[in-house]
Amino acid sequence: MVKSTTIYEGGLHCSLVHEPSGAMVATDAPVDNNGKGEAFSPTDLVGAALAACMSTIMGIVAARKGIALEGMKVEVAKHMSADPRRIGKLEVVINVPLPADHPDRQMLENAALACPVKQSLHPDIEIPITWNWLG
């Protein structure tokens, strides 16, 4: 179990603290929902968590095989739905610094698809993934 604490600061801003490390993240409501967009919104963090989780799981698998993934870049574009207001789509683009014919390509892609955040998201959220093998 890992515990975090969120403090509402007012003005639609929150401070989040990861208790084991003391790391902090700030949030703000997005401009289209009464905020100033001065920080990640809570739903932005969901997209960022997906990207970080996919990257981390790929990194774990790659490290076991001695594959260098440093410089891999994952971008997520979050699209909101209106009724009810929720995340409707998370478009993911994964830029992998390896050639398209890498022998462990399928293993790395499968690792990303099995990440815990992706497995935890509601099935109604569309998650199209574009893979760019750049090596």
Side-chain angles (χ1 to χ4, degrees), residues 10-14 16 26-31 33-44:
L12 308 181
H13 288 256
C14 293
L16 294 67
T27 66
D28 184 20
V31 174
N33 200 24
N34 303 309
K36 295 180 182 177
E38 295 176 333
F40 282 102
S41 74
T43 54
D44 293 342

Side-chain angles (χ1 to χ4, degrees), residues 16-31:
L16 294 67
V17 179
H18 177 252
E19 287 198 9
S21 67
M24 298 179 67
V25 174
T27 66
D28 184 20
V31 174

Side-chain angles (χ1 to χ4, degrees), residues 98-118:
L98 298 171
D101 62 352
H102 193 281
D104 293 312
R105 175 181 174 160
Q106 194 61 56
M107 178 187 64
L108 291 167
E109 289 183 5
N110 289 343
L113 297 175
C115 91
V117 171
K118 185 172 185 311

